[in-house]
Amino acid sequence: VQLWRLVGKFIDEANFADIQNVMASGDIISKKAVALTCAQSDYEPAKNLLNSVPELKNEIIENKLNWIYLTS
C-alpha cells in the first residue's frame, strides 16, 4: 500500500491501465490506495477515475480516507 503514495505524480498514459485494473478488480484496500493516488495526480483521466467512485472521493474530501488511516 505504501508504494501507491509515490505514484500519484507519475500517472500517465503509459501506466494508467494498471491503475484502472486495480480499481476494477483489486481488494478494497488497494482500491482505496488507488483512489488516494488518483487524488494526488494531475493526470485528467486519473481525476475522472476518482470521480467514478464517489463514495471513495467523498471519504477523501471529508478526510475520512487518507494515507494515515489506510496504513493504520
Side-chain angles (χ1 to χ4, degrees):
V1 171
Q2 287 292 331
L3 289 175
W4 284 110
R5 276 183 107 153
L6 306 173
V7 174
K9 297 296 179 186
F10 302 100
I11 296 175
D12 61 20
E13 64 279 350
N15 57 29
F16 186 62
D18 295 328
I19 303 294
Q20 290 176 299
N21 288 338
V22 173
M23 188 62 84
S25 61
D27 62 83
I28 189 63
I29 299 297
S30 296
K31 288 179 181 184
K32 288 181 176 185
V34 165
L36 286 166
T37 299
C38 288
Q40 295 176 331
S41 178
D42 294 326
Y43 187 58
E44 195 62 32
K47 296 291 186 189
N48 294 337
L49 182 60
L50 180 58
N51 289 335
S52 75
V53 284
E55 64 280 358
L56 294 180
K57 182 179 178 181
N58 288 336
E59 285 184 32
I60 293 169
I61 290 169
E62 296 168 2
N63 203 33
K64 293 178 181 175
L65 174 57
N66 55 49
W67 290 113
I68 294 169
Y69 162 82
L70 197 59
T71 58
S72 60

